[in-house]
């Protein structure tokens, strides 16, 4: 069932229940009013009967009937009976006498006015006192006119109920359709967007109100922006990865083809195989980096002191480059536990080695790489500063894309995977990697845990 139909039926059902409750209340109030009105009419009949029969001495029954015929409207199934103080009948106005239990007559004497039912008739008992003595007057009749009015009222209410439901259903569908029209429009626009049209956006409308439809459209647009960025990154990754994988394979195949073209001396073969081995080692390193980039997880965790880890990382650098790494310890806390973090020692070492390798690789051989470790306000900071070629301002936002390399870095051997891998490992351990650089002046990599 569509939302429009569900809302329509829900709205119709809710209004139907309310309307039925209102109409039932109207009927009950009208029925109670008709009942009370008929009781009042019976009481008037009883009082008139007492006045005519008892107040006028020796008034004949025929005279009362003539009075009743001329001045009173006879009720359906009307019965008028008068009893004396001994509960004996004194006057009966009906085709047949109706037996009234003595318990009711006794109750009338005690309570003076009693309403009760005699079969299909409603009745009233009235205690009447005059100069002739004490009497009990009983008037009973069937309220046919009241019942007819109630039946007519039921017919009217039922007709109004049915017509109202039809009108409410139609109005509900119209208003539900108008309320859901913006959602249908957003759905149609989103349905037309494919992987080739991720630059398209959903219309957010001209209204500045923060209603649900506007929020939905903006949420879709933000999602499309993330998808577009993701697809663009994926396309760049595939393009760069294809290039980086193709380069060593092409060089290897070319070198082997040259060697197999004709017989050569042993030195030439050795030189060619050395070149092939270098290219294959680069290819292996690239594949390992790719696997690490896509499958990195924390694995087992240990308590790692970051200051000790820095010295271990320095020892992992090639011996001919190790002397260029200068480590400085800044303000440190007295508690050694404050320098520890939970993590995977091997992965963190890999991330810091990548940062130091980049700093050494992209700076002159006579320039040192300065590493500073500080503890401030509960944060552990590692700063790696080089004085190398730097990164341009336009290229800086793209440095964490796998395989991206700045134009001035293409002359240096590399694949553009080390920095994204380092960032992923650091984020996996709850840290943050920030890069700031100035073209020609050097680069600063700051790690904060």
């Amino acid at each position: 069932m569509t939302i429009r139909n569900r809302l329509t039926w829900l709205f119709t059902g809710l209004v139907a229940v309310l309307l039925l409750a209102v109409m039932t209340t109207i009927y009950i109030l009208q029925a109670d009013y008709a009942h009370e009105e008929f009781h009042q009419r019976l009481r008037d009949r009883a009082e008139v009967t007492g006045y005519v029969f008892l107040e006028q001495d020796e008034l004949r029954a025929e005279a009362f009937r003539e009075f009743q015929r001329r001045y009173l409207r006879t009720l359906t199934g009307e019965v008028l009976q008068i009893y004396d103080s001994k509960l004996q009948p004194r006057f009966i106005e009906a085709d047949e006498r109706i037996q009234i239990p003595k318990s009711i007559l006794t109750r009338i004497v005690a309570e003076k006015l009693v309403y009760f039912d005699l079969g299909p008739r409603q009745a009233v008992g009235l205690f009447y006192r005059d100069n002739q003595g004490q009497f009990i007057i009983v008037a009973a009749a069937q309220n046919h006119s009241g019942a007819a009015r109630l039946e007519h009222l039921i017919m009217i209410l039922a007709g109004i109920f049915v017509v109202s439901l039809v009108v409410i259903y139609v109005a509900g569908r119209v208003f539900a359709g108008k309320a859901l029209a913006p959602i249908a429009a957003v759905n149609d626009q989103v349905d037309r967007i494919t992987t080739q049209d991720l630059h398209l956006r959903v219309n957010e409308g001209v209204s500045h109100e923060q209603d649900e439809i506007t929020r939905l459209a903006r949420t879709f647009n933000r999602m499309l922006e993330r998808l577009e960025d993701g697809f663009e990154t994926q396309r760049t990754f595939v393009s760069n990865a294809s290039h980086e994988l193709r380069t060593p394979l092409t060089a290897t195949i070319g070198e082997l083809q040259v060697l197999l073209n004709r017989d050569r001396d042993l030195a030439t073969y050795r030189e060619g195989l050395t070149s092939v081995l270098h290219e294959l080692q680069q290819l292996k390193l690239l594949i390992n980096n790719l696997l690490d980039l896509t499958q990195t997880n924390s694995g087992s965790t240990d308590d790692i002191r970051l200051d000790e880890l820095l010295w271990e990382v320095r020892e992992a650098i090639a011996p001919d480059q190790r002397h260029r790494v200068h480590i400085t310890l800044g303000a440190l806390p007295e508690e050694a536990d404050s320098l520890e973090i939970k993590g995977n020692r091997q992965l963190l070492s890999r991330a810091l080695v990548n940062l130091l390798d980049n700093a050494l690789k992209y700076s002159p051989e006579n320039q040192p790489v300065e590493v500073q470790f500080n503890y401030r306000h509960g944060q552990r900071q590692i700063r790696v500063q080089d004085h190398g070629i730097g990164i341009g301002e336009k290229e800086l936002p793209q440095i964490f894309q796998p395989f991206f390399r700045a134009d001035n870095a293409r002359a240096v051997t590399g694949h553009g995977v080390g920095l994204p891998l380092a960032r992923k490992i650091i984020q996996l351990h709850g840290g943050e990697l920030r890069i700031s650089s100035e073209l020609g002046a050097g680069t600063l990599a700051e790690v904060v845990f």
Side-chain angles (χ1 to χ4, degrees):
M1 181 181 291
T2 62
I3 296 179
R4 179 182 182 182
N5 290 336
R6 191 180 299 117
L7 288 176
T8 301
W9 284 112
L10 182 63
F11 177 70
T12 303
L14 179 62
V15 176
V17 171
L18 295 176
L19 193 60
L20 187 61
V22 171
M23 290 184 172
T24 302
T25 303
I26 292 174
Y27 176 79
I28 292 174
L29 293 176
Q30 179 61 29
D32 185 68
Y33 174 76
H35 194 71
E36 293 296 329
E37 181 190 29
F38 193 70
H39 279 173
Q40 185 61 41
R41 292 181 65 185
L42 289 177
R43 182 176 178 178
D44 293 342
R45 301 290 284 197
E47 290 178 350
V48 169
T49 299
Y51 176 79
V52 172
F53 184 76
L54 298 176
E55 293 295 340
Q56 303 299 323
D57 295 338
E58 305 299 330
L59 182 66
R60 295 176 305 164
E62 290 77 7
F64 172 72
R65 295 190 184 94
E66 178 63 20
F67 177 84
Q68 184 185 55
R69 182 184 65 79
R70 294 180 62 180
Y71 300 105
L72 297 178
R73 182 180 177 183
T74 304
L75 301 176
T76 304
E78 184 179 64
V79 173
L80 299 173
Q81 298 183 169
I82 300 178
Y83 296 85
D84 58 19
S85 58
K86 297 180 180 181
L87 308 184
Q88 297 299 318
R90 292 285 303 273
F91 175 77
I92 304 296
E93 175 59 21
D95 296 336
E96 59 179 346
R97 177 184 174 184
I98 297 178
Q99 294 293 334
I100 300 177
K102 288 188 177 182
S103 59
I104 294 180
L105 295 177
T106 305
R107 181 183 169 193
I108 294 172
V109 173
E111 299 181 11
K112 311 306 181 184
L113 179 65
V114 175
Y115 294 101
F116 57 95
D117 293 330
L118 290 174
R121 297 180 175 89
Q122 299 179 39
V124 61
L126 180 66
F127 183 77
Y128 195 92
R129 178 185 287 112
D130 73 344
N131 56 3
Q132 299 184 38
Q134 297 178 347
F135 298 91
I136 299 172
I137 304 174
V138 176
Q142 298 181 22
N143 191 9
H144 277 190
S145 62
R149 286 197 301 269
L150 290 178
E151 291 179 2
H152 185 64
L153 178 62
I154 290 178
M155 298 275 300
I156 293 175
L157 293 178
I160 293 175
F161 183 74
V162 173
V163 173
S164 298
L165 287 186
V166 174
V167 173
I168 290 168
Y169 176 79
V170 174
R173 281 193 64 85
V174 172
F175 285 112
K178 290 184 177 180
L180 296 175
I183 296 180
V186 170
N187 185 56
D188 292 339
Q189 294 177 51
V190 173
D191 191 53
R192 290 194 296 267
I193 298 176
T194 65
T195 55
Q196 306 300 324
D197 303 315
L198 289 176
H199 63 281
L200 298 177
R201 294 294 180 265
V202 176
N203 183 16
E204 298 179 2
V206 297
S207 175
H208 296 286
E209 298 180 2
Q210 294 292 330
D211 58 9
E212 289 77 5
I213 307 301
T214 301
R215 291 174 56 190
L216 176 63
R218 291 177 180 174
T219 301
F220 270 122
N221 286 337
R222 287 194 295 268
M223 181 189 68
L224 289 172
E225 290 176 3
R226 293 193 296 269
L227 287 176
E228 186 179 16
D229 292 341
F231 271 83
E232 184 61 31
T233 301
Q234 184 184 37
R235 281 194 290 266
T236 303
F237 177 85
V238 172
S239 176
N240 292 332
S242 301
H243 173 74
E244 295 294 336
L245 291 171
R246 188 183 298 113
T247 299
L249 288 176
T250 302
T252 301
I253 293 173
E255 190 69 32
L256 292 175
Q257 286 175 341
V258 170
L259 291 176
L260 294 174
N261 190 32
R262 60 183 176 86
D263 293 337
R264 301 177 185 276
D265 55 36
L266 184 60
T268 303
Y269 280 120
R270 185 180 297 277
E271 182 182 356
L273 291 176
T274 302
S275 176
V276 169
L277 178 61
H278 175 74
E279 295 294 341
L280 291 177
Q281 287 175 340
Q282 290 295 318
L283 181 61
K284 178 184 177 182
L285 178 61
L286 175 59
I287 293 174
N288 288 337
N289 285 335
L290 286 176
L291 291 175
D292 290 340
L293 187 62
T294 56
Q295 299 180 3
T296 299
N297 56 75
S298 60
S300 60
T301 58
D302 303 312
D303 292 327
I304 306 171
R305 279 195 56 167
L306 293 178
D307 55 340
E308 296 177 354
L309 183 64
L310 284 177
W311 294 104
E312 294 176 9
V313 170
R314 183 178 183 275
E315 293 301 315
I317 300 299
D320 60 333
Q321 297 291 328
R322 193 177 301 161
H323 68 281
R324 297 174 55 196
V325 179
H326 298 172
I327 298 179
T328 303
L329 299 180
L332 299 180
E334 296 181 359
E335 300 82 6
D337 294 345
S338 300
L339 302 179
E340 294 181 351
I341 65 169
K342 288 281 188 180
N344 186 302
R345 181 178 293 270
Q346 182 179 358
L347 287 179
L348 279 177
S349 297
R350 178 71 179 276
L352 295 178
V353 165
N354 286 352
L355 294 179
L356 291 180
D357 279 342
N358 281 350
L360 293 169
K361 187 164 51 176
Y362 295 110
S363 59
E365 293 186 0
N366 59 347
Q367 290 290 336
V369 172
E370 299 167 0
V371 180
Q372 186 178 20
F373 179 65
N374 295 305
Y375 181 86
R376 295 176 181 173
H377 309 294
Q379 292 185 338
R380 304 150 190 87
Q381 301 174 349
I382 300 174
R383 296 165 59 91
V384 179
Q385 175 74 61
D386 67 57
H387 303 280
I389 60 177
I391 306 172
E393 183 179 353
K394 294 182 178 179
E395 297 170 318
L396 193 60
Q398 307 178 58
I399 58 176
F400 291 116
Q401 293 184 12
F403 296 107
F404 174 80
R405 303 193 71 197
D407 293 336
N408 60 345
R410 297 190 184 277
V412 182
T413 302
H415 304 105
V417 180
L419 198 56
L421 178 59
R423 184 194 194 192
K424 185 173 182 181
I425 293 173
I426 292 170
Q427 288 179 338
L428 189 65
H429 288 78
E432 183 181 0
L433 174 60
R434 306 166 186 160
I435 302 293
S436 57
S437 183
E438 184 178 352
L439 192 61
T443 301
L444 172 64
E446 184 177 10
V447 181
V448 179
F449 291 102

